Amino acid sequence: MWLIGACGGVGTTATLGLAAISRGVSDTTSLVTALPLFEPLHLDEPADFVVGGHEIRQAGFRQTVRELQKRSNIFEPALADACQEDLERWEANIRPGTLLNCGPAITRLADRADLRPNDTAREAIEHIQDDLRAFRDTHKLDQVVVVNVTSTEPPFEIGELHQSLERLRPALDRRESPLPASSLYAWAALDLGLPYINFTPSLGASVPALEELARERRAVFGGKDGKTGETLMKSVLAPMFARRNWQIMSWVGHNIFGNRDGQVLDDPNNKASKIRTKDQVVSSIVGYKPQTLVSIEYIESLDDWKTAWNHIHYKGFLGTKMTMQFIWQGCDSILAAPLVVDLARLALFSQRRGEVGVLRHLACFFKNPMGVPEHDFFAQSAMLEKYVEESLTTETQRHREDKT
Ligand code: NAI
């Protein structure tokens, strides 16, 4: 598993999780793919994984684990200690990333001396691909899945140039990169035929030319923006309001948290990307547009612990107005990391099956699922279950055909 933004909270927690489960110091609670439904798929076991990735900061896995322990009071010392050797070994696979078109809030985080700020887009893609090939060859890997867990970039508007590979390819040599860093990483991965997952709201592979590239190289991809907390609750509760024929008049969500992600999202440009993916869920489920407000505030003392307060004002029988409120308090990295592992396992499985293009059945993992307009968590989960059943049926047929 190649993590872009490897040593952030999510990347490090996913890495620690793989090590901890492999070593038997943690169970698989909260890993969706550990549910019995997925057992017949024979997904890759946590112990099968080797981890590497790109970073723009000097931090390593062990440092981030220590920071999360100290500041957010997560990870039992015995668990973290048991995994030090794996973390140290995998840290040696971290390579300098690209900062092209990341925006100032992310650029301010960068402190590695070996970054190459003056690359063209094409040079950046080539360097990323060199790193990916070296990782695969050095560790003799059968497959490599690339997962984007970098900081959220500001929104990037795509235009005519981005509509086809024929137009976009020559623009990679321009002085100004025609794509943000998240899309350069996506290009590098898809061009090598590797599965690519975008766990962030950044642009990534959501560009027609990149979807064309994926088809050309027979690669799979999925995204965007992991659905882990408040938005997960919205996608569970909104269907209830819809099915009881209650009319939602307004839905207000106020989020406060204090990790590095929160610090980057404190920049209004970067925040705009996140608000866009969080704010579309309710109206798309209920089919009309209640008044909505989503706010995200950086409160440093909270570190990795996020509080989301939601106020839902709705109309019931005989025009009576009522209110539902909930408070979600969760640890951001702990919520996100198991999903990264799930997505990696499922994307690798899809690649082995010879699938191509967007992985629509992964919609339940994302706030803004690519390729499907479905936001209802139950409908999304049903899509995943159907996919598993269909995969098993094809496998059984293939075995039968092989025998005859
Ligand atoms: P973080 O700030 O701890 O980690 C991001 C890492 O990416 C940092 O180590 C940073 O140095 C690195 N980075 C930034 N730009 C880079 C680049 N161009 N190349 C290579 N590395 C780069 O943030 P966290 O909490 O780990 O979140 C990661 C991403 O996942 C964010 O975009 C966040 O919005 C998204 N996400 C997180 C969720 C959660 O934590 N519950 C839920 C859904 C999405």
Side-chain angles (χ1 to χ4, degrees):
M1 177 166 70
W2 188 267
L3 295 165
I4 312 161
C7 302
V10 177
T12 299
T13 308
T15 304
L16 180 68
L18 281 173
I21 297 169
S22 309
R23 289 186 175 269
V25 290
S26 171
D27 63 21
T28 54
T29 304
S30 131
L31 216 61
V32 176
T33 48
L35 289 168
L37 170 72
F38 299 90
E39 213 175 297
L41 298 187
H42 303 294
L43 301 173
D44 300 289
E45 293 300 330
D48 297 334
F49 280 85
V50 176
V51 183
H54 282 115
E55 246 311 330
I56 55 164
R57 296 179 304 117
Q58 289 173 25
F61 293 129
R62 288 171 299 169
Q63 184 187 323
T64 307
V65 165
R66 278 195 300 275
E67 273 170 21
L68 283 164
Q69 281 182 306
K70 197 163 155 233
R71 297 181 50 175
S72 301
N73 203 17
I74 54 174
F75 314 144
E76 288 290 329
L79 183 149
D81 290 350
C83 301
Q84 288 299 302
E85 205 185 301
D86 302 309
L87 299 182
E88 185 177 1
R89 201 173 60 250
W90 290 338
E91 244 168 50
N93 300 328
I94 305 290
R95 297 288 173 268
T98 178
L99 277 170
L100 288 186
N101 261 345
C102 270
I106 297 179
T107 306
R108 275 196 293 275
L109 296 177
D111 63 359
R112 284 185 73 118
D114 50 3
L115 298 172
R116 293 172 294 260
N118 299 323
D119 276 356
T120 61
R122 190 181 303 281
E123 285 163 348
I125 291 170
E126 282 168 6
H127 283 131
I128 297 164
Q129 291 186 327
D130 289 344
D131 294 336
L132 289 167
R133 280 195 211 95
F135 179 59
R136 184 186 57 198
D137 297 346
T138 309
H139 299 281
K140 300 186 172 50
L141 303 170
D142 298 321
Q143 290 176 279
V144 177
V145 56
V146 176
V147 187
N148 179 21
V149 283
T150 59
S151 320
T152 303
E153 295 169 349
F156 188 95
E157 297 308 328
I158 56 172
E160 277 304 304
L161 180 69
H162 302 93
Q163 300 304 317
S164 77
L165 263 184
E166 197 187 353
R167 277 189 238 169
L168 191 53
R169 234 184 216 128
L172 296 180
D173 293 313
R174 288 184 188 169
R175 264 192 93 71
E176 282 283 305
S177 170
L179 291 168
S182 62
S183 302
L184 300 178
Y185 287 115
W187 186 305
L190 297 172
D191 189 38
L192 292 180
L194 306 182
Y196 166 84
I197 296 291
N198 187 5
F199 200 77
T200 81
S202 306
L203 188 66
S206 307
V207 178
L210 280 169
E211 297 183 15
E212 193 185 328
L213 181 66
R215 283 195 298 276
E216 200 174 88
R217 301 287 192 243
R218 304 196 61 72
V220 291
F221 60 95
K224 307 187 330 187
D225 202 3
K227 183 158 81 171
T228 58
E230 184 201 48
T231 314
L232 175 65
M233 285 297 284
K234 281 182 174 171
S235 72
V236 166
L237 287 175
M240 174 191 77
F241 284 95
R243 282 165 209 174
R244 280 283 190 249
N245 199 9
W246 287 324
Q247 190 204 335
I248 301 171
M249 296 180 295
S250 62
W251 194 312
V252 176
H254 186 57
N255 298 268
I256 49 174
F257 63 127
N259 58 19
R260 200 178 307 100
D261 184 32
Q263 196 185 326
V264 169
L265 293 177
D266 207 30
D267 184 303
N269 291 321
N270 303 57
K271 192 186 290 189
S273 298
K274 196 61 146 187
I275 287 186
R276 232 185 241 188
T277 63
K278 279 171 92 69
D279 199 26
Q280 60 194 346
V281 175
V282 174
S283 49
S284 119
I285 293 172
V286 296
Y288 54 88
K289 179 111 188 64
Q291 185 182 356
T292 55
L293 179 80
V294 178
S295 62
I296 304 173
E297 299 302 335
Y298 174 60
I299 304 295
E300 195 178 350
S301 69
L302 293 177
D303 290 309
D304 210 34
W305 288 87
K306 174 149 78 188
T307 297
W309 166 70
N310 274 226
H311 182 283
I312 308 148
H313 198 202
Y314 66 101
K315 204 191 280 177
F317 200 42
L318 306 177
T320 311
K321 293 177 181 179
M322 295 175 272
T323 303
M324 180 192 176
Q325 296 181 55
F326 70 81
I327 299 172
W328 172 281
Q329 287 176 293
C331 180
D332 241 9
S333 304
I334 294 290
L335 290 165
L339 303 188
V340 167
V341 175
D342 287 325
L343 287 161
R345 298 179 87 192
L346 289 165
L348 289 166
F349 175 77
S350 293
Q351 190 196 29
R352 284 199 292 279
R353 291 187 74 232
E355 293 170 29
V356 176
V358 60
L359 300 171
R360 292 183 181 79
H361 57 275
L362 300 183
C364 65
F365 292 99
F366 297 111
K367 291 191 191 76
N368 186 10
M370 292 178 77
V372 270
E374 187 58 76
H375 286 276
D376 175 329
F377 182 68
F378 304 100
Q380 292 175 333
S381 299
M383 284 166 59
L384 182 57
E385 282 160 26
K386 190 163 168 247
Y387 168 83
V388 172
E389 279 161 24
E390 283 173 2
S391 310
L392 288 172
T393 318
T394 358
E395 278 307 298
T396 323
Q397 269 166 2
R398 205 175 289 165
H399 274 139
R400 264 195 219 124
E401 279 164 18
D402 285 352
K403 271 190 185 163
T404 51

